[in-house]
Amino acid sequence: MTSAPPRPTLIPVSLTVNGLPVDAAVPGRLLLADFLRDSLGLTGTHVGCGHGTCGSCTVLVDGEAVRSCLQFAVQLDGCAITTVEGVSPDGQLTPVQQAFQDNHGMQCGYCTPGLVCSLTALLAKDPSPTEETIVDTLNGHLCRCTGYQNILKAARQAAGRPVEEAHG
Amino acid sequence: MTVPEPTAGPTAARPKYVGGAVKRREDPRLLLGRGRYVADINLAGTVYMAIVRSPHAHARITSIDTSRAVAAAGVLAVLTWADIKDEAGPLPCIDRYTDSLPVLQTALADGVVRYVGEPVVALVASTEYGAEDALSLIDVEYEPLPVVVDLDEATAGTTLLYPEHGTNVMTTIAQDVGDVAAAFAAADRVYEETFTIHRYVPMPMETRGVVAEVDPITERLTLTTSTQFPHLVRGFLSGVLGMPESRIRVVAPDVGGGFGAKCEFYCEEVLAPLFALRLRRPVKWIEDRRTSMVASSHAREQKHTVRVAVQDDGTITAVDAQSWTSNGAAYCTLATTPASISSAMLRGPYRIPHYRARAHCVVTNKTPLAVYRGAGHPQAVLVMERMVDTIAADLGRDRVELRLQNMLTPAELPSDRGTAIVLAGQVVYDTGDYGACLERAAEMIGLSGDWEAEQAAARAEGRYLGIGLASLVEETSIGPYESAVVRVDGAGKVTVLTGSSPHGQGHVTTFSQLVADELEIDIEDITVLYGDTDVVADGVGTFASRSAAIGGAAARKAAGVVKEKALGVAAHVLEIDVADLEWRNGAAHVRGVPARARTLGELASAATAWNAPLPGGMEFNLEATYQHQAGGIAFSHATHAAKVGVDVETGEVTVLDYVVVHDCGTVINPTIVEGQVHGGVAQGLGGTFMEELAYSPDGQPLPMTLQDYIMPTLGDMPWIRTDHMESPTPLNPYGMKGAGEGGATGAPGALVNALQDALAPFGVNLTSDGPWTPDKVLALIPEDPA
Ligand code: FES
Ligand code: FES
């Protein structure tokens, strides 16, 4: 006596993801994170909490750092999204990414894509941010592996600031 | 066979990789978003598992009605304990003592639930969101039973989790060294204290997850799981399902942190395979964060009472200790290890010739408790280091001096401590200079010099500063063994297989460093593979700070065997006695005729089936398997020194400075070691000042999100300054010890001692590891601090 599955209403959305046009019809409740990961196969965006706290799922929406676990895909109609896969245009590490490797700013790598996206957004707007701005940005991210010191060093390097100094 | 003209390798001495700050080879892939964690695996035809979990801390299940779910569209299968009890045995506990009472977990609740979050019914649906929706279609009725979450109440046993055993104390571990009674009888002074250690959790940023599928050709089961020990999972699953290991493949892909939480075998690793075997479709389950709060192992919670016998001259002669660990509702895969380590290691670096401990493992209506970075060490360090400071203060002695007086000196090592750690063995400290390490840390944090004047001046201005020390010795590099395979292809490229599967430790880099140095080749010529039981036939895993030391030694030894084989082939090819050859720069050279040489690639090529024949008895292919067995536990050591400032108006504690001086034997990669220290300190700091997995008296876990389980962010962290000492261990062929856990082990003790030092003017005596949140700190401070 299996009843027919209730068919979710699908809503059309058109957006740009990593420079390519994407047209899809999605259920209203589909999260942007799940849309990117499961529908588009862009699994570099990670879900660490699903409730907006950890920052692992951060992507760029029209240049702004946005938590993709807090958005529904349908809200992104007409937007341009860049995920970690699209941060580097040519598959070479960008200065932000290189800074993470240079400073051992990552261990398991789970939180890393979100940090790369946040710092990429920050530096695109403000190539020479103050220490305070950097710390503010990083404070929005949880990393369980590194203790943050090397992430801070990576961010400083990417921002052209002295890497080795105690913070206040 | 024509011998080609010799090709000479470069003759300049090659710089060594080991000891160098080699950048991690795994990073570019992860930075470009090309990591592959369990949640990223989407196989065609995947269906999704969801689990109904108990909302009660203790209850009898009176009925389960799955009919609405079974009838629902999109739901493909539903399982209860009744459906699987003939197929799925209890989950293993591998560190049970012979007299431990059997309190094992089952994949689904067997009639009674004993903690909030215990799995009761599992289902599979065609979509992930649909599986979650279907949970509301399962009707379970419960008859609540009395709940016990308090450790003392549980120990008293008025409410029993397993009435058939007549007690909640499932194991009591004994450590007996020397003559404790006589030492106390002869003691000038006796100090007695009770310490409580709260419950907090590893909380890796990647939650757990599994994908199970049955291969249609071989009918073998593949379980992809976010685990620290895929080979052990293969064995556990085989045991639970009664399925031969040969029919099981376990894969650990990229793993987003573990810290002990993934050093466990969980019910989902049984349930997903059971569904996959029934449905013949890939079954996927990804733990959400809320679920992880109750479904991944918890950690730390203990109570300790200690009596310490001291002579007037400051000599600590004996410790008599009891501890109780709140093990939660049943035994984990690693259940007694925290209690075992705490009791075996409580004396830390101090001589203390007479020692007795009784460590009780107690069941409570909470999520099962297991190991978390450091296992039982952080608790023991906190207890011992608080006592040493208490004694120093009471005797009016300098705390560094009192420590030095009681510390084992290098001349006293090796030192058989007379205690033992479950699964690991006898505690025999190997090498180290504990005193030098302490003195260096004290100097770096500024304890020498005018610290007391600085502290007094600050107090006069209403600023409360404190410095805390914690010296520790920790078990690392436990055995029994790790395996490795090294093989060379015809182009001279090397593949290393290791049985030790990483989750952020940088194995690709460190193992490459070791093998590159052994063969004297470029690191780029090496590929490191791990984490798949079909690729690497044998292995143990990554836990207990063992991988680089034990697994790394196996890899380097295997490379050494390959090198010997290569020399043998070279002798044959060059028609020369092997004794006249030497290995240099990735090639076999004729001694005294450096131009006559064969490179690793040429030799590998010469040893293949098609370039043979080799003389009789010589093996084809440059390949070797090596099993490195640990000759005993290697003990790393460290001193942590923390400087804190307390705002007596708000109760807020700021960590102003933090120093770690540590010794983990020969260091492969100082950058990676330092990263391990930083991460561990952050976890210890989180546990000391913010993190707690608290329960209400009726057994409801209080934090449910990362908004209410507060972990440190950058702004909470001090700038950590480290210094390294190197005392190689004779137990390892390359002198390596473990480095993964010391950060978390030392931080709580150092931070609580620092807080104690800061608040000393208020007459406080801190006897818990907190978490020292502002409200709790404020409660210690009188209304008018002046
Ligand atoms: S997953 Fe989006 S903020 Fe944590
Ligand atoms: S590197 Fe593992 S969580 Fe940040």
Side-chain angles (χ1 to χ4, degrees):
Chain A
M1 48 164 272
T2 298
S3 54
R7 280 191 181 280
T9 313
L10 298 183
I11 303 162
V13 334
S14 292
L15 59 168
T16 307
V17 180
N18 297 336
L20 297 174
V22 173
D23 296 288
V26 299
R29 66 172 174 169
L30 184 67
L31 296 170
L32 174 59
D34 291 343
F35 178 65
L36 294 169
R37 291 175 44 79
D38 300 336
S39 310
L40 304 183
L42 295 168
T43 55
T45 300
H46 298 153
V47 176
C49 67
H51 46 253
T53 311
C54 72
S56 305
C57 65
T58 304
V59 298
L60 281 76
V61 175
D62 297 332
E64 298 284 335
V66 164
R67 304 197 162 197
S68 62
C69 73
L70 292 183
Q71 305 276 315
F72 294 114
V74 294
Q75 292 174 282
L76 282 297
D77 194 48
C79 294
I81 295 177
T82 306
T83 67
V84 68
E85 291 93 340
V87 161
S88 158
D90 54 2
Q92 300 297 307
L93 299 184
T94 63
V96 169
Q97 290 166 323
Q98 188 61 54
F100 275 84
Q101 187 188 25
D102 290 350
N103 293 283
H104 188 31
M106 53 194 291
Q107 291 180 27
C108 77
Y110 199 77
C111 67
T112 317
L115 283 155
V116 166
C117 287
S118 270
L119 286 171
T120 301
L122 169 68
L123 295 173
K125 274 191 272 182
D126 178 2
S128 311
T130 61
E131 177 83 359
E132 204 187 340
T133 309
I134 293 173
V135 170
D136 274 355
T137 302
L138 297 180
N139 270 341
H141 289 261
L142 288 174
C143 170
R144 196 56 157 167
C145 296
T146 62
Y148 304 102
Q149 189 158 321
N150 291 343
I151 293 177
L152 178 60
K153 287 193 202 173
R156 286 170 171 173
Q157 175 178 316
R161 298 184 61 81
V163 164
E164 294 280 354
E165 68 183 32
H167 58 88
Chain B
M1 179 167 113
T2 45
V3 180
E5 272 305 295
T7 50
T11 48
R14 172 181 289 273
K16 295 267 181 270
Y17 289 106
V18 170
V22 176
K23 284 184 201 169
R24 291 212 322 176
R25 304 181 64 209
E26 39 276 269
D27 289 357
R29 185 174 65 81
L30 300 171
L31 282 161
L32 291 164
R34 295 174 188 163
R36 186 62 84 240
Y37 303 82
V38 175
D40 304 342
I41 295 167
N42 285 315
L43 302 170
T46 296
V47 293
Y48 300 85
M49 182 169 83
I51 295 172
V52 177
R53 295 174 188 273
S54 170
H56 295 281
H58 198 189
R60 183 165 289 110
I61 299 169
T62 51
S63 73
I64 298 177
D65 181 357
T66 62
S67 58
R68 289 196 300 144
V70 169
V75 175
L76 303 174
V78 181
L79 292 176
T80 65
W81 176 245
D83 300 315
I84 64 170
K85 66 180 192 316
D86 297 331
E87 290 167 74
L91 307 192
C93 168
I94 60 172
D95 62 358
R96 279 164 71 188
Y97 285 78
T98 45
D99 57 354
S100 293
L101 292 170
V103 285
L104 300 177
Q105 304 181 67
T106 48
L108 291 168
D110 173 13
V112 176
V113 289
R114 295 184 182 84
Y115 66 98
V116 170
E118 184 164 353
V120 178
V121 181
L123 62 84
V124 159
S126 54
T127 67
E128 193 172 2
Y129 288 23
E132 289 293 323
D133 290 344
L135 293 177
S136 64
L137 303 176
I138 306 273
D139 301 300
V140 184
E141 295 198 1
Y142 300 91
E143 175 193 320
L145 295 168
V147 172
V148 56
V149 291
D150 179 80
L151 202 38
D152 291 335
E153 273 176 43
T155 305
T158 33
T159 298
L160 294 175
L161 271 71
Y162 300 87
E164 64 272 29
H165 296 317
T167 176
N168 289 321
V169 180
M170 293 304 155
T171 303
T172 294
I173 301 159
Q175 316 272 4
D176 287 287
V177 186
D179 189 343
V180 171
F184 273 91
D188 293 333
R189 295 156 189 254
V190 173
Y191 298 85
E192 190 166 345
E193 201 57 82
T194 298
F195 292 91
T196 55
I197 312 287
H198 69 286
R199 180 171 280 243
Y200 56 106
V201 302
M203 200 75 80
M205 290 317 300
E206 182 210 28
T207 57
R208 295 186 298 112
V210 298
V211 176
E213 58 171 325
V214 177
D215 183 302
I217 298 171
T218 62
E219 303 233 288
R220 291 167 80 236
L221 182 73
T222 298
L223 175 67
T224 304
T225 178
S226 187
T227 188
Q228 297 172 224
F229 51 13
H231 292 86
L232 297 195
V233 167
R234 177 178 61 182
F236 298 149
L237 185 57
S238 162
V240 170
L241 294 186
M243 179 187 267
E245 284 197 28
S246 58
R247 285 192 52 209
I248 300 173
R249 173 186 176 205
V250 176
V251 178
D254 283 326
V255 174
F259 318 113
K262 295 172 183 172
C263 196
E264 275 296 306
F265 182 63
Y266 288 97
C267 71
E268 296 86 359
E269 291 167 316
V270 174
L271 294 169
L274 285 174
F275 280 117
L277 288 163
R278 280 169 165 74
L279 298 168
R280 298 293 164 132
R281 295 184 60 177
V283 176
K284 183 172 179 177
W285 172 81
I286 303 298
E287 183 183 60
D288 62 34
R289 183 54 69 190
R290 188 185 164 90
T291 302
S292 83
M293 298 280 172
V294 292
S296 283
S297 57
H298 288 183
R300 299 285 192 247
E301 186 178 2
Q302 287 181 343
K303 176 182 155 180
H304 288 254
T305 63
V306 283
R307 291 170 64 233
V308 183
V310 182
Q311 299 307 108
D312 283 335
D313 73 350
T315 306
I316 305 173
T317 54
V319 169
D320 188 2
Q322 288 221 61
S323 73
W324 296 262
T325 300
S326 173
N327 273 83
Y331 272 175
C332 278
T333 314
L334 291 166
T336 69
T337 293
S340 179
I341 291 181
S342 298
S343 62
M345 297 298 296
L346 189 88
R347 289 171 298 162
Y350 306 109
R351 219 168 271 119
I352 312 178
H354 307 284
Y355 178 60
R356 173 168 60 202
R358 294 292 177 271
H360 311 285
C361 299
V362 184
V363 286
T364 48
N365 289 121
K366 297 182 178 181
T367 290
L369 173 141
V371 296
Y372 171 25
R373 204 173 202 163
H377 288 101
Q379 303 93 317
V381 171
L382 177 112
V383 169
M384 194 66 225
E385 291 300 286
R386 281 292 304 118
M387 289 311 293
V388 172
D389 271 8
T390 300
I391 295 162
D394 188 60
L395 295 177
R397 292 281 304 276
D398 177 81
R399 50 189 156 159
V400 175
E401 255 178 52
L402 187 78
R403 281 179 170 81
L404 289 172
Q405 178 186 343
N406 285 286
M407 269 179 180
L408 290 159
T409 62
E412 290 169 274
L413 301 183
S415 169
D416 184 342
R417 305 291 279 154
T419 57
I421 297 173
V422 69
L423 293 178
Q426 290 304 119
V427 175
V428 182
Y429 291 177
D430 46 352
T431 54
D433 190 338
Y434 311 147
C437 180
L438 165 65
E439 288 180 295
R440 178 84 186 108
E443 180 196 322
M444 283 175 72
I445 200 75
L447 257 188
S448 47
D450 44 13
W451 156 245
E452 273 161 28
E454 179 192 338
Q455 189 183 38
R459 275 178 193 161
E461 294 168 13
R463 291 186 299 120
Y464 289 80
L465 304 179
I467 284 180
L469 298 170
S471 294
L472 64 100
V473 179
E474 55 159 350
E475 165 218 40
T476 76
S477 311
I478 69 164
Y481 72 93
E482 195 51 89
S483 68
V485 176
V486 170
R487 66 170 71 111
V488 190
D489 70 16
K493 305 294 180 192
V494 175
T495 304
V496 180
L497 313 184
T498 170
S500 176
S501 188
H503 45 286
Q505 292 83 357
H507 286 19
V508 170
T509 306
T510 48
F511 283 56
S512 297
Q513 288 178 265
L514 289 162
V515 170
D517 273 3
E518 186 65 29
L519 295 174
E520 300 180 51
I521 58 175
D522 282 337
I523 206 166
E524 288 75 25
D525 290 339
I526 297 172
T527 302
V528 181
L529 301 178
Y530 50 80
D532 180 337
T533 60
D534 272 12
V535 172
V536 187
D538 185 32
V540 180
T542 297
F543 49 89
S545 303
R546 63 188 302 281
S547 286
I550 306 296
R556 185 161 189 168
K557 281 284 185 187
V561 176
V562 161
K563 189 167 73 181
E564 290 310 313
K565 281 189 176 179
L567 283 166
V569 174
H572 167 65
V573 170
L574 295 169
E575 295 175 332
I576 194 168
D577 193 289
V578 73
D580 294 327
L581 291 170
E582 60 183 346
W583 192 265
R584 218 172 53 243
N585 261 328
H589 296 258
V590 177
R591 284 183 207 278
V593 196
R596 273 198 84 197
R598 287 291 183 281
T599 64
L600 181 63
E602 289 166 338
L603 295 168
S605 177
T608 55
W610 49 89
N611 288 333
L614 293 174
M618 194 176 262
E619 258 183 41
F620 287 101
N621 299 325
L622 292 188
E623 171 170 335
T625 302
Y626 195 91
Q627 187 184 86
H628 172 66
Q629 302 193 355
I633 309 170
F635 289 87
S636 294
H637 69 97
T639 293
H640 289 224
K643 184 175 182 180
V644 304
V646 183
D647 183 330
V648 294
E649 301 292 321
T650 64
E652 205 173 321
V653 183
T654 307
V655 185
L656 302 167
D657 194 8
Y658 203 97
V659 166
V660 180
V661 181
H662 70 109
D663 184 339
C664 57
T666 306
V667 170
I668 307 170
N669 187 322
T671 310
I672 287 178
V673 167
E674 205 158 288
Q676 288 291 321
V677 171
H678 292 174
V681 169
Q683 288 175 323
L685 184 147
T688 307
F689 292 121
M690 43 194 87
E691 299 175 33
E692 180 169 24
L693 217 140
Y695 277 80
S696 69
D698 60 346
Q700 292 295 328
L702 299 178
M704 275 289 116
T705 69
L706 296 185
Q707 306 278 12
D708 40 23
Y709 186 91
I710 312 289
M711 300 195 289
T713 57
L714 171 65
D716 301 307
M717 291 302 299
W719 189 261
I720 299 166
R721 298 185 290 138
T722 51
D723 198 8
H724 308 268
M725 302 174 63
E726 277 199 28
S727 310
T729 178
L731 297 168
N732 185 285
Y734 310 104
M736 304 180 289
K737 304 178 178 183
E741 299 173 281
T745 290
L751 291 166
V752 174
N753 271 343
L755 185 59
Q756 169 71 36
D757 189 37
L759 299 182
F762 306 124
V764 304
N765 175 26
L766 302 183
T767 55
S768 111
D769 69 338
W772 292 108
T773 48
D775 55 319
K776 285 196 201 147
V777 172
L778 211 49
L780 298 169
I781 299 166
E783 287 278 318
D784 177 13

